Amino acid sequence: MQWNAEGIVLSSRRHGETSVIIEVFTKEFGRCAGLVRGGTGRRLRPVLQPGNSVQADWKARLSEHLGVFTVEATTARVAAAMAHPKTLAALTSVCALLRFLPERNGYPRLYDTTCTLLDNLDDMDVWLPLMVRFELALLEETGFGLDLESCAANGSNLNLTHISPRSGRAVSAEAAEPYLDKLFPMPQFFRDARAAVSLEDVKNGLAITGHFLTVRLLHQLEENMPESRARLLHMLDDLTDF
Amino acid sequence: MIGPEIETLINLLSRMPGLGPRSARRAVLHLVRKRESLLLPLADALQTARDSIVTCTTCGAIDTIDPCTICADPRRDDSVICVVEDVGDLWALERAKATKGRYHVLGGVLSALDGVGPEDLSLAGLKTRCDTGLVQEVILATNATVEGQSTAHYIMDMLKGSDVKVSRLAHGVPVGGELDYLDDGTLAEAMKSRTEF
Protein backbone atom coordinates (compact mmCIF):
# COMPACT_ATOMS: atom_id res chain seq x y z
CA MET A 1 0.00 0.00 0.00
CA GLN A 2 1.32 3.41 -0.89
CA TRP A 3 -0.08 6.86 -1.58
CA ASN A 4 1.20 10.37 -1.90
CA ALA A 5 -0.85 13.46 -1.06
CA GLU A 6 -0.64 16.90 0.44
CA GLY A 7 -2.08 17.13 3.93
CA ILE A 8 -2.34 19.19 7.10
CA VAL A 9 -0.51 17.91 10.17
CA LEU A 10 -3.08 17.50 12.97
CA SER A 11 -0.94 16.09 15.74
CA SER A 12 2.54 14.88 16.41
CA ARG A 13 3.42 12.55 19.24
CA ARG A 14 6.84 11.27 20.20
CA HIS A 15 7.38 7.57 19.64
CA GLY A 16 10.62 6.19 21.01
CA GLU A 17 13.66 8.40 20.94
CA THR A 18 13.85 9.52 17.36
CA SER A 19 10.46 8.91 15.77
CA VAL A 20 7.04 10.53 16.01
CA ILE A 21 3.55 9.35 15.14
CA ILE A 22 1.71 12.03 13.23
CA GLU A 23 -1.83 12.42 12.01
CA VAL A 24 -2.30 14.09 8.65
CA PHE A 25 -5.56 15.31 7.13
CA THR A 26 -5.51 14.91 3.34
CA LYS A 27 -8.09 15.71 0.72
CA GLU A 28 -8.26 12.26 -0.80
CA PHE A 29 -7.53 9.94 2.13
CA GLY A 30 -8.87 11.95 5.08
CA ARG A 31 -7.27 11.61 8.49
CA CYS A 32 -4.37 9.18 8.46
CA ALA A 33 -1.78 8.29 11.08
CA GLY A 34 1.75 7.10 10.45
CA LEU A 35 5.23 6.91 11.82
CA VAL A 36 7.85 9.46 10.81
CA ARG A 37 11.37 8.18 11.36
CA GLY A 38 13.68 10.94 12.59
CA GLY A 39 10.65 13.11 13.38
CA THR A 40 12.19 14.42 16.60
CA GLY A 41 15.25 15.69 14.73
CA ARG A 42 16.10 19.33 14.14
CA ARG A 43 15.11 19.23 10.48
CA LEU A 44 11.66 17.68 10.84
CA ARG A 45 10.44 19.01 14.20
CA PRO A 46 9.43 22.44 12.87
CA VAL A 47 7.79 20.83 9.84
CA LEU A 48 5.66 18.47 11.93
CA GLN A 49 3.97 21.14 14.03
CA PRO A 50 0.14 20.89 13.92
CA GLY A 51 -1.28 23.24 11.28
CA ASN A 52 1.57 23.01 8.77
CA SER A 53 0.97 21.42 5.39
CA VAL A 54 3.23 18.65 4.14
CA GLN A 55 3.60 16.52 1.05
CA ALA A 56 3.21 13.10 2.60
CA ASP A 57 4.19 9.75 1.19
CA TRP A 58 2.53 6.92 3.14
CA LYS A 59 3.68 3.32 2.89
CA ALA A 60 2.56 0.17 4.66
CA ARG A 61 2.66 -3.53 3.86
CA LEU A 62 -1.05 -3.89 4.57
CA SER A 63 -3.66 -1.13 4.46
CA GLU A 64 -4.66 -1.68 8.09
CA HIS A 65 -1.10 -1.14 9.33
CA LEU A 66 -0.02 2.11 10.93
CA GLY A 67 2.32 2.84 8.03
CA VAL A 68 5.36 5.03 7.64
CA PHE A 69 5.30 8.61 6.39
CA THR A 70 7.99 10.41 4.46
CA VAL A 71 7.17 14.11 4.59
CA GLU A 72 8.32 17.32 3.02
CA ALA A 73 7.15 20.79 4.07
CA THR A 74 4.84 22.63 1.68
CA THR A 75 3.16 25.41 3.70
CA ALA A 76 4.51 26.53 7.06
CA ARG A 77 1.73 28.37 8.85
CA VAL A 78 2.54 27.74 12.49
CA ALA A 79 5.35 30.24 13.00
CA ALA A 80 3.12 33.13 11.91
CA ALA A 81 0.13 31.84 13.88
CA MET A 82 2.19 31.55 17.06
CA ALA A 83 2.66 35.29 17.28
CA HIS A 84 -1.00 35.95 18.14
CA PRO A 85 -2.97 34.16 20.84
CA LYS A 86 -6.21 34.19 18.85
CA THR A 87 -4.75 32.70 15.68
CA LEU A 88 -2.85 30.09 17.66
CA ALA A 89 -6.03 29.15 19.55
CA ALA A 90 -7.93 28.97 16.24
CA LEU A 91 -5.26 26.82 14.61
CA THR A 92 -5.04 24.38 17.54
CA SER A 93 -8.81 24.29 17.78
CA VAL A 94 -9.17 23.41 14.08
CA CYS A 95 -6.56 20.64 14.35
CA ALA A 96 -8.17 19.27 17.51
CA LEU A 97 -11.67 19.27 15.95
CA LEU A 98 -10.45 17.51 12.82
CA ARG A 99 -9.13 14.72 15.01
CA PHE A 100 -12.77 13.79 15.72
CA LEU A 101 -13.24 12.74 12.09
CA PRO A 102 -13.28 9.03 11.32
CA GLU A 103 -9.94 7.76 10.01
CA ARG A 104 -9.15 7.15 6.33
CA ASN A 105 -12.26 8.69 4.88
CA GLY A 106 -11.84 11.56 2.44
CA TYR A 107 -13.67 14.85 3.00
CA PRO A 108 -12.59 17.00 0.03
CA ARG A 109 -14.91 19.95 0.78
CA LEU A 110 -13.96 20.07 4.42
CA TYR A 111 -10.30 19.88 3.43
CA ASP A 112 -10.67 22.87 1.11
CA THR A 113 -12.53 24.87 3.77
CA THR A 114 -9.80 24.04 6.30
CA CYS A 115 -7.02 25.12 3.92
CA THR A 116 -8.80 28.40 3.14
CA LEU A 117 -9.24 29.06 6.85
CA LEU A 118 -5.65 28.26 7.78
CA ASP A 119 -4.24 30.22 4.83
CA ASN A 120 -6.12 33.34 5.94
CA LEU A 121 -5.15 33.35 9.60
CA ASP A 122 -3.38 36.68 9.11
CA ASP A 123 -6.67 38.48 8.44
CA MET A 124 -9.18 38.40 11.27
CA ASP A 125 -12.02 39.77 9.11
CA VAL A 126 -11.69 36.68 6.98
CA TRP A 127 -10.75 33.86 9.32
CA LEU A 128 -13.35 34.48 12.03
CA PRO A 129 -16.34 33.92 9.70
CA LEU A 130 -14.39 31.08 8.07
CA MET A 131 -14.00 29.45 11.47
CA VAL A 132 -17.80 29.28 11.74
CA ARG A 133 -18.04 27.97 8.17
CA PHE A 134 -15.42 25.34 8.98
CA GLU A 135 -17.44 24.11 11.97
CA LEU A 136 -20.63 24.09 9.89
CA ALA A 137 -18.81 22.03 7.26
CA LEU A 138 -17.50 19.68 9.96
CA LEU A 139 -21.06 19.13 11.22
CA GLU A 140 -22.29 18.54 7.69
CA GLU A 141 -19.51 16.12 6.73
CA THR A 142 -20.00 14.07 9.89
CA GLY A 143 -23.71 13.76 9.16
CA PHE A 144 -24.99 16.32 11.65
CA GLY A 145 -25.45 19.27 9.30
CA LEU A 146 -28.02 21.97 10.05
CA ASP A 147 -31.13 22.19 7.92
CA LEU A 148 -31.62 25.86 7.11
CA GLU A 149 -33.80 25.56 4.01
CA SER A 150 -37.23 25.90 5.58
CA CYS A 151 -38.96 26.57 8.90
CA ALA A 152 -39.25 23.53 11.18
CA ALA A 153 -42.65 24.74 12.42
CA ASN A 154 -44.53 25.94 9.31
CA GLY A 155 -42.38 24.86 6.36
CA SER A 156 -41.98 28.44 5.12
CA ASN A 157 -38.68 29.44 3.59
CA LEU A 158 -39.21 33.16 4.20
CA ASN A 159 -37.91 35.28 7.05
CA LEU A 160 -35.91 32.48 8.69
CA THR A 161 -34.34 34.13 11.73
CA HIS A 162 -33.67 31.42 14.32
CA ILE A 163 -32.32 27.89 14.73
CA SER A 164 -33.83 25.25 16.97
CA PRO A 165 -31.24 23.86 19.43
CA ARG A 166 -33.01 20.49 19.38
CA SER A 167 -33.61 19.80 15.71
CA GLY A 168 -30.91 21.99 14.17
CA ARG A 169 -33.50 23.34 11.75
CA ALA A 170 -34.31 26.91 10.83
CA VAL A 171 -37.30 28.66 12.42
CA SER A 172 -39.17 31.60 10.89
CA ALA A 173 -39.62 34.86 12.81
CA GLU A 174 -43.37 34.25 13.31
CA ALA A 175 -42.94 30.71 14.57
CA ALA A 176 -40.00 31.74 16.78
CA GLU A 177 -41.92 34.50 18.54
CA PRO A 178 -43.13 32.47 21.61
CA TYR A 179 -39.76 30.69 22.05
CA LEU A 180 -37.22 33.48 21.57
CA ASP A 181 -35.39 32.66 24.81
CA LYS A 182 -34.94 29.03 23.77
CA LEU A 183 -33.85 29.46 20.12
CA PHE A 184 -30.54 30.52 18.65
CA PRO A 185 -30.66 33.74 16.61
CA MET A 186 -29.43 32.76 13.13
CA PRO A 187 -26.63 34.89 11.67
CA GLN A 188 -27.63 36.00 8.18
CA PHE A 189 -24.38 34.72 6.66
CA PHE A 190 -25.52 31.16 7.44
CA ARG A 191 -28.00 31.41 4.56
CA ASP A 192 -26.59 34.24 2.50
CA ALA A 193 -22.89 33.85 1.69
CA ARG A 194 -22.68 37.50 0.58
CA ALA A 195 -24.19 38.96 3.76
CA ALA A 196 -21.98 41.25 5.85
CA VAL A 197 -20.61 39.53 8.95
CA SER A 198 -20.33 41.30 12.29
CA LEU A 199 -18.46 40.11 15.36
CA GLU A 200 -21.83 39.44 16.99
CA ASP A 201 -22.71 37.15 14.06
CA VAL A 202 -19.45 35.25 14.53
CA LYS A 203 -20.05 34.83 18.27
CA ASN A 204 -23.62 33.65 17.63
CA GLY A 205 -22.38 31.35 14.88
CA LEU A 206 -19.73 29.79 17.12
CA ALA A 207 -22.30 29.36 19.89
CA ILE A 208 -24.56 27.47 17.46
CA THR A 209 -21.83 25.26 15.98
CA GLY A 210 -20.36 24.69 19.46
CA HIS A 211 -23.74 23.53 20.74
CA PHE A 212 -24.33 21.09 17.89
CA LEU A 213 -20.76 19.81 17.89
CA THR A 214 -21.11 19.09 21.60
CA VAL A 215 -24.55 17.47 21.66
CA ARG A 216 -24.32 15.64 18.36
CA LEU A 217 -20.74 14.78 17.48
CA LEU A 218 -18.74 14.90 20.72
CA HIS A 219 -21.48 13.32 22.81
CA GLN A 220 -21.44 10.28 20.52
CA LEU A 221 -17.67 10.06 20.69
CA GLU A 222 -17.69 10.63 24.47
CA GLU A 223 -15.22 13.47 23.99
CA ASN A 224 -15.04 17.02 25.30
CA MET A 225 -14.77 20.22 23.32
CA PRO A 226 -11.08 21.09 22.83
CA GLU A 227 -9.79 23.47 25.46
CA SER A 228 -8.26 25.69 22.77
CA ARG A 229 -11.72 26.42 21.37
CA ALA A 230 -12.95 27.53 24.78
CA ARG A 231 -9.87 29.75 25.00
CA LEU A 232 -10.64 31.27 21.61
CA LEU A 233 -14.23 32.04 22.65
CA HIS A 234 -12.93 33.60 25.86
CA MET A 235 -10.61 35.84 23.83
CA LEU A 236 -13.45 36.85 21.51
CA ASP A 237 -15.46 37.96 24.54
CA ASP A 238 -12.95 40.78 25.07
CA LEU A 239 -13.30 41.97 21.47
CA THR A 240 -15.80 44.64 20.52
CA ASP A 241 -15.07 44.66 16.79
CA PHE A 242 -12.91 42.82 14.23
CA MET B 1 24.26 -17.68 31.29
CA ILE B 2 24.38 -14.66 33.62
CA GLY B 3 22.99 -14.16 37.09
CA PRO B 4 19.60 -12.50 37.63
CA GLU B 5 21.25 -9.52 39.40
CA ILE B 6 23.26 -8.65 36.31
CA GLU B 7 20.26 -9.31 34.08
CA THR B 8 18.19 -6.89 36.20
CA LEU B 9 20.92 -4.28 35.90
CA ILE B 10 20.97 -4.68 32.11
CA ASN B 11 17.18 -4.44 31.96
CA LEU B 12 17.13 -1.29 34.04
CA LEU B 13 19.92 0.38 32.11
CA SER B 14 18.29 -0.48 28.78
CA ARG B 15 15.33 1.70 29.80
CA MET B 16 17.55 4.78 29.89
CA PRO B 17 17.27 7.23 27.00
CA GLY B 18 19.85 6.51 24.32
CA LEU B 19 20.44 2.96 25.50
CA GLY B 20 19.01 -0.25 24.13
CA PRO B 21 19.52 -3.81 25.42
CA ARG B 22 22.77 -4.21 23.49
CA SER B 23 24.34 -0.94 24.65
CA ALA B 24 23.08 -1.58 28.20
CA ARG B 25 24.86 -4.93 28.12
CA ARG B 26 28.07 -3.21 27.05
CA ALA B 27 27.71 -0.59 29.79
CA VAL B 28 27.15 -3.28 32.43
CA LEU B 29 30.14 -5.25 31.19
CA HIS B 30 32.25 -2.11 31.45
CA LEU B 31 30.97 -1.44 34.99
CA VAL B 32 31.69 -4.99 36.07
CA ARG B 33 35.20 -4.83 34.69
CA LYS B 34 35.87 -1.52 36.46
CA ARG B 35 34.18 -2.51 39.68
CA GLU B 36 36.37 -0.50 42.04
CA SER B 37 36.86 2.61 39.99
CA LEU B 38 33.37 2.88 38.43
CA LEU B 39 30.74 0.48 39.72
CA LEU B 40 31.09 1.25 43.43
CA PRO B 41 31.31 5.06 43.04
CA LEU B 42 28.31 4.93 40.67
CA ALA B 43 26.30 2.85 43.13
CA ASP B 44 27.19 5.28 45.92
CA ALA B 45 26.32 8.29 43.74
CA LEU B 46 22.95 6.76 42.84
CA GLN B 47 22.22 5.99 46.49
CA THR B 48 23.15 9.53 47.56
CA ALA B 49 21.11 11.06 44.78
CA ARG B 50 18.09 8.94 45.70
CA ASP B 51 18.33 10.05 49.31
CA SER B 52 18.98 13.72 48.76
CA ILE B 53 17.24 14.88 45.57
CA VAL B 54 14.25 17.13 46.23
CA THR B 55 12.02 19.35 44.16
CA CYS B 56 12.37 23.01 45.03
CA THR B 57 9.12 24.21 46.59
CA THR B 58 9.69 27.72 45.20
CA CYS B 59 10.58 27.16 41.55
CA GLY B 60 10.03 23.44 40.91
CA ALA B 61 13.65 22.73 39.91
CA ILE B 62 15.46 19.59 41.01
CA ASP B 63 18.29 19.96 43.50
CA THR B 64 19.62 18.46 46.70
CA ILE B 65 18.48 21.39 48.84
CA ASP B 66 15.15 23.16 49.21
CA PRO B 67 15.01 26.01 48.24
CA CYS B 68 17.33 25.10 45.37
CA THR B 69 20.77 26.59 44.74
CA ILE B 70 19.37 29.16 42.33
CA CYS B 71 16.49 30.25 44.58
CA ALA B 72 18.86 30.49 47.56
CA ASP B 73 21.51 32.49 45.69
CA PRO B 74 21.39 36.13 46.93
CA ARG B 75 23.24 37.36 43.80
CA ARG B 76 20.31 36.43 41.58
CA ASP B 77 17.95 39.12 40.31
CA ASP B 78 14.65 38.81 42.17
CA SER B 79 12.85 41.07 39.72
CA VAL B 80 13.10 38.61 36.80
CA ILE B 81 11.53 35.17 36.57
CA CYS B 82 12.29 32.98 33.59
CA VAL B 83 9.51 30.44 33.01
CA VAL B 84 10.60 27.12 31.51
CA GLU B 85 8.78 23.91 30.65
CA ASP B 86 11.11 21.45 32.27
CA VAL B 87 14.22 21.14 34.41
CA GLY B 88 16.21 20.26 31.27
CA ASP B 89 15.36 23.70 29.84
CA LEU B 90 16.51 25.36 33.06
CA TRP B 91 19.81 23.51 32.85
CA ALA B 92 20.20 24.57 29.20
CA LEU B 93 19.66 28.24 30.07
CA GLU B 94 22.04 27.97 33.01
CA ARG B 95 24.69 26.38 30.78
CA ALA B 96 24.31 29.30 28.40
CA LYS B 97 24.42 31.79 31.33
CA ALA B 98 21.47 33.39 29.58
CA THR B 99 19.85 35.11 32.56
CA LYS B 100 20.77 36.21 36.07
CA GLY B 101 17.15 36.08 37.17
CA ARG B 102 15.22 33.37 38.99
CA TYR B 103 13.41 30.49 37.32
CA HIS B 104 10.03 28.84 37.44
CA VAL B 105 9.60 25.29 36.14
CA LEU B 106 6.09 24.58 34.86
CA GLY B 107 6.48 20.81 34.77
CA GLY B 108 5.12 20.47 31.22
CA VAL B 109 2.95 22.31 28.72
CA LEU B 110 -0.75 22.51 28.00
CA SER B 111 -1.56 19.59 25.74
CA ALA B 112 -4.98 18.41 24.68
CA LEU B 113 -3.36 15.30 23.20
CA ASP B 114 -1.83 14.24 26.52
CA GLY B 115 -4.71 15.59 28.61
CA VAL B 116 -2.56 18.21 30.35
CA GLY B 117 -4.62 21.18 31.51
CA PRO B 118 -3.70 24.36 33.44
CA GLU B 119 -4.35 22.61 36.76
CA ASP B 120 -1.60 20.09 35.96
CA LEU B 121 1.08 22.77 35.69
CA SER B 122 2.56 24.84 38.50
CA LEU B 123 0.80 28.00 37.39
CA ALA B 124 -0.64 28.90 40.79
CA GLY B 125 2.89 29.02 42.22
CA LEU B 126 3.97 31.36 39.42
CA LYS B 127 1.01 33.65 40.04
CA THR B 128 1.78 33.75 43.77
CA ARG B 129 5.41 34.66 43.05
CA CYS B 130 4.36 37.41 40.65
CA ASP B 131 1.91 38.84 43.18
CA THR B 132 4.61 39.41 45.81
CA GLY B 133 5.51 42.76 44.21
CA LEU B 134 9.19 41.83 43.82
CA VAL B 135 8.87 40.62 40.24
CA GLN B 136 9.02 43.15 37.40
CA GLU B 137 9.52 40.88 34.41
CA VAL B 138 8.48 37.37 33.48
CA ILE B 139 10.39 35.84 30.56
CA LEU B 140 8.41 33.07 28.88
CA ALA B 141 11.08 30.63 27.72
CA THR B 142 8.74 27.88 26.58
CA ASN B 143 9.61 25.92 23.44
CA ALA B 144 8.71 27.36 20.03
CA THR B 145 6.15 24.63 19.46
CA VAL B 146 2.37 24.94 19.20
CA GLU B 147 1.95 23.56 22.72
CA GLY B 148 4.79 25.65 24.17
CA GLN B 149 3.43 28.87 22.69
CA SER B 150 -0.16 28.04 23.68
CA THR B 151 1.11 27.72 27.24
CA ALA B 152 2.98 31.02 26.92
CA HIS B 153 -0.19 32.78 25.72
CA TYR B 154 -2.14 31.23 28.59
CA ILE B 155 0.40 32.55 31.12
CA MET B 156 0.36 35.97 29.46
CA ASP B 157 -3.42 36.00 29.88
CA MET B 158 -3.13 34.86 33.49
CA LEU B 159 -0.69 37.66 34.34
CA LYS B 160 -2.69 40.37 32.55
CA GLY B 161 -3.90 41.94 35.79
CA SER B 162 -0.49 41.86 37.49
CA ASP B 163 1.90 44.78 37.25
CA VAL B 164 4.52 42.62 35.53
CA LYS B 165 6.19 42.97 32.14
CA VAL B 166 5.85 39.75 30.14
CA SER B 167 8.38 38.94 27.41
CA ARG B 168 9.15 35.84 25.38
CA LEU B 169 12.20 34.47 23.62
CA ALA B 170 12.81 35.61 20.05
CA HIS B 171 12.14 33.24 17.16
CA GLY B 172 14.56 33.29 14.27
CA VAL B 173 17.81 32.23 12.68
CA PRO B 174 20.01 30.08 14.94
CA VAL B 175 23.74 30.78 15.17
CA GLY B 176 25.40 28.77 12.39
CA GLY B 177 22.08 28.41 10.59
CA GLU B 178 21.97 28.82 6.84
CA LEU B 179 18.95 30.62 5.41
CA ASP B 180 18.64 28.09 2.61
CA TYR B 181 18.02 25.29 5.10
CA LEU B 182 15.61 27.10 7.41
CA ASP B 183 11.90 26.30 7.28
CA ASP B 184 9.72 29.01 5.69
CA GLY B 185 7.89 29.85 8.90
CA THR B 186 11.03 30.49 10.93
CA LEU B 187 12.50 32.55 8.13
CA ALA B 188 9.36 34.70 7.88
CA GLU B 189 9.31 35.11 11.68
CA ALA B 190 12.99 36.08 11.69
CA MET B 191 12.35 38.69 9.02
CA LYS B 192 9.39 40.07 10.96
CA SER B 193 11.36 40.29 14.22
CA ARG B 194 14.49 41.85 12.66
CA THR B 195 16.34 44.40 14.78
CA GLU B 196 18.26 47.54 13.89
CA PHE B 197 21.90 46.80 13.13
Side-chain angles (χ1 to χ4, degrees), chain B residues 41-55:
Chain B
L42 179 68
D44 286 344
L46 286 172
Q47 179 76 44
T48 314
R50 196 198 71 170
D51 295 341
S52 56
I53 282 178
V54 284
T55 302

PDB file of all heavy atoms in Angstrom, chain B residues 41-55:
ATOM      1  N   PRO B  41      31.642   3.625  42.960  1.00  0.00           N
ATOM      2  CA  PRO B  41      31.310   5.055  43.045  1.00  0.00           C
ATOM      3  C   PRO B  41      29.948   5.378  42.424  1.00  0.00           C
ATOM      4  O   PRO B  41      29.206   6.202  42.942  1.00  0.00           O
ATOM      5  CB  PRO B  41      32.423   5.748  42.252  1.00  0.00           C
ATOM      6  CG  PRO B  41      33.530   4.787  42.193  1.00  0.00           C
ATOM      7  CD  PRO B  41      32.938   3.422  42.285  1.00  0.00           C
ATOM      8  N   LEU B  42      29.611   4.681  41.320  1.00  0.00           N
ATOM      9  CA  LEU B  42      28.312   4.927  40.670  1.00  0.00           C
ATOM     10  C   LEU B  42      27.166   4.505  41.586  1.00  0.00           C
ATOM     11  O   LEU B  42      26.172   5.232  41.744  1.00  0.00           O
ATOM     12  CB  LEU B  42      28.244   4.170  39.335  1.00  0.00           C
ATOM     13  CG  LEU B  42      26.938   4.329  38.560  1.00  0.00           C
ATOM     14  CD1 LEU B  42      26.770   5.748  38.043  1.00  0.00           C
ATOM     15  CD2 LEU B  42      26.870   3.359  37.389  1.00  0.00           C
ATOM     16  N   ALA B  43      27.332   3.338  42.217  1.00  0.00           N
ATOM     17  CA  ALA B  43      26.297   2.851  43.132  1.00  0.00           C
ATOM     18  C   ALA B  43      26.120   3.827  44.295  1.00  0.00           C
ATOM     19  O   ALA B  43      24.988   4.144  44.686  1.00  0.00           O
ATOM     20  CB  ALA B  43      26.670   1.466  43.647  1.00  0.00           C
ATOM     21  N   ASP B  44      27.252   4.318  44.815  1.00  0.00           N
ATOM     22  CA  ASP B  44      27.191   5.283  45.923  1.00  0.00           C
ATOM     23  C   ASP B  44      26.506   6.571  45.473  1.00  0.00           C
ATOM     24  O   ASP B  44      25.677   7.140  46.203  1.00  0.00           O
ATOM     25  CB  ASP B  44      28.605   5.615  46.412  1.00  0.00           C
ATOM     26  CG  ASP B  44      29.197   4.466  47.226  1.00  0.00           C
ATOM     27  OD1 ASP B  44      28.399   3.597  47.647  1.00  0.00           O
ATOM     28  OD2 ASP B  44      30.423   4.427  47.406  1.00  0.00           O
ATOM     29  N   ALA B  45      26.888   7.035  44.261  1.00  0.00           N
ATOM     30  CA  ALA B  45      26.316   8.293  43.745  1.00  0.00           C
ATOM     31  C   ALA B  45      24.807   8.154  43.555  1.00  0.00           C
ATOM     32  O   ALA B  45      24.043   9.073  43.873  1.00  0.00           O
ATOM     33  CB  ALA B  45      26.983   8.667  42.425  1.00  0.00           C
ATOM     34  N   LEU B  46      24.388   6.991  43.054  1.00  0.00           N
ATOM     35  CA  LEU B  46      22.948   6.761  42.844  1.00  0.00           C
ATOM     36  C   LEU B  46      22.200   6.736  44.174  1.00  0.00           C
ATOM     37  O   LEU B  46      21.130   7.315  44.319  1.00  0.00           O
ATOM     38  CB  LEU B  46      22.727   5.438  42.093  1.00  0.00           C
ATOM     39  CG  LEU B  46      23.056   5.435  40.605  1.00  0.00           C
ATOM     40  CD1 LEU B  46      22.977   4.019  40.047  1.00  0.00           C
ATOM     41  CD2 LEU B  46      22.091   6.330  39.837  1.00  0.00           C
ATOM     42  N   GLN B  47      22.832   6.070  45.157  1.00  0.00           N
ATOM     43  CA  GLN B  47      22.224   5.988  46.489  1.00  0.00           C
ATOM     44  C   GLN B  47      22.087   7.385  47.094  1.00  0.00           C
ATOM     45  O   GLN B  47      21.023   7.764  47.616  1.00  0.00           O
ATOM     46  CB  GLN B  47      23.113   5.099  47.373  1.00  0.00           C
ATOM     47  CG  GLN B  47      22.617   4.926  48.805  1.00  0.00           C
ATOM     48  CD  GLN B  47      21.450   3.958  48.880  1.00  0.00           C
ATOM     49  OE1 GLN B  47      21.484   2.909  48.246  1.00  0.00           O
ATOM     50  NE2 GLN B  47      20.423   4.320  49.630  1.00  0.00           N
ATOM     51  N   THR B  48      23.155   8.174  46.996  1.00  0.00           N
ATOM     52  CA  THR B  48      23.149   9.527  47.563  1.00  0.00           C
ATOM     53  C   THR B  48      22.101  10.384  46.866  1.00  0.00           C
ATOM     54  O   THR B  48      21.356  11.116  47.521  1.00  0.00           O
ATOM     55  CB  THR B  48      24.547  10.186  47.383  1.00  0.00           C
ATOM     56  OG1 THR B  48      25.533   9.250  47.761  1.00  0.00           O
ATOM     57  CG2 THR B  48      24.676  11.452  48.191  1.00  0.00           C
ATOM     58  N   ALA B  49      22.077  10.263  45.543  1.00  0.00           N
ATOM     59  CA  ALA B  49      21.108  11.057  44.778  1.00  0.00           C
ATOM     60  C   ALA B  49      19.685  10.692  45.188  1.00  0.00           C
ATOM     61  O   ALA B  49      18.842  11.570  45.391  1.00  0.00           O
ATOM     62  CB  ALA B  49      21.311  10.815  43.290  1.00  0.00           C
ATOM     63  N   ARG B  50      19.445   9.383  45.315  1.00  0.00           N
ATOM     64  CA  ARG B  50      18.092   8.941  45.698  1.00  0.00           C
ATOM     65  C   ARG B  50      17.677   9.521  47.043  1.00  0.00           C
ATOM     66  O   ARG B  50      16.548   9.928  47.240  1.00  0.00           O
ATOM     67  CB  ARG B  50      18.049   7.414  45.761  1.00  0.00           C
ATOM     68  CG  ARG B  50      16.645   6.862  45.754  1.00  0.00           C
ATOM     69  CD  ARG B  50      16.599   5.444  46.231  1.00  0.00           C
ATOM     70  NE  ARG B  50      16.846   5.350  47.672  1.00  0.00           N
ATOM     71  CZ  ARG B  50      16.678   4.245  48.374  1.00  0.00           C
ATOM     72  NH1 ARG B  50      16.308   3.138  47.770  1.00  0.00           N
ATOM     73  NH2 ARG B  50      16.919   4.210  49.674  1.00  0.00           N
ATOM     74  N   ASP B  51      18.643   9.584  47.969  1.00  0.00           N
ATOM     75  CA  ASP B  51      18.329  10.049  49.315  1.00  0.00           C
ATOM     76  C   ASP B  51      18.211  11.567  49.406  1.00  0.00           C
ATOM     77  O   ASP B  51      17.528  12.075  50.292  1.00  0.00           O
ATOM     78  CB  ASP B  51      19.406   9.566  50.293  1.00  0.00           C
ATOM     79  CG  ASP B  51      19.396   8.050  50.412  1.00  0.00           C
ATOM     80  OD1 ASP B  51      18.354   7.449  50.039  1.00  0.00           O
ATOM     81  OD2 ASP B  51      20.410   7.468  50.849  1.00  0.00           O
ATOM     82  N   SER B  52      18.918  12.277  48.528  1.00  0.00           N
ATOM     83  CA  SER B  52      18.981  13.724  48.759  1.00  0.00           C
ATOM     84  C   SER B  52      18.257  14.585  47.722  1.00  0.00           C
ATOM     85  O   SER B  52      18.047  15.766  47.963  1.00  0.00           O
ATOM     86  CB  SER B  52      20.450  14.164  48.834  1.00  0.00           C
ATOM     87  OG  SER B  52      21.110  13.775  47.653  1.00  0.00           O
ATOM     88  N   ILE B  53      17.865  14.029  46.602  1.00  0.00           N
ATOM     89  CA  ILE B  53      17.237  14.883  45.574  1.00  0.00           C
ATOM     90  C   ILE B  53      15.828  15.297  46.001  1.00  0.00           C
ATOM     91  O   ILE B  53      15.023  14.474  46.431  1.00  0.00           O
ATOM     92  CB  ILE B  53      17.204  14.158  44.209  1.00  0.00           C
ATOM     93  CG1 ILE B  53      18.590  14.228  43.570  1.00  0.00           C
ATOM     94  CG2 ILE B  53      16.183  14.795  43.267  1.00  0.00           C
ATOM     95  CD1 ILE B  53      18.710  13.517  42.258  1.00  0.00           C
ATOM     96  N   VAL B  54      15.585  16.596  45.903  1.00  0.00           N
ATOM     97  CA  VAL B  54      14.254  17.128  46.232  1.00  0.00           C
ATOM     98  C   VAL B  54      13.824  18.103  45.135  1.00  0.00           C
ATOM     99  O   VAL B  54      14.650  18.619  44.397  1.00  0.00           O
ATOM    100  CB  VAL B  54      14.248  17.869  47.588  1.00  0.00           C
ATOM    101  CG1 VAL B  54      14.279  16.925  48.755  1.00  0.00           C
ATOM    102  CG2 VAL B  54      15.379  18.888  47.664  1.00  0.00           C
ATOM    103  N   THR B  55      12.542  18.333  45.088  1.00  0.00           N
ATOM    104  CA  THR B  55      12.024  19.346  44.159  1.00  0.00           C
ATOM    105  C   THR B  55      11.869  20.647  44.927  1.00  0.00           C
ATOM    106  O   THR B  55      11.276  20.663  46.011  1.00  0.00           O
ATOM    107  CB  THR B  55      10.660  18.890  43.596  1.00  0.00           C
ATOM    108  OG1 THR B  55      10.849  17.629  42.950  1.00  0.00           O
ATOM    109  CG2 THR B  55      10.118  19.881  42.584  1.00  0.00           C
TER     110      THR B  55
END
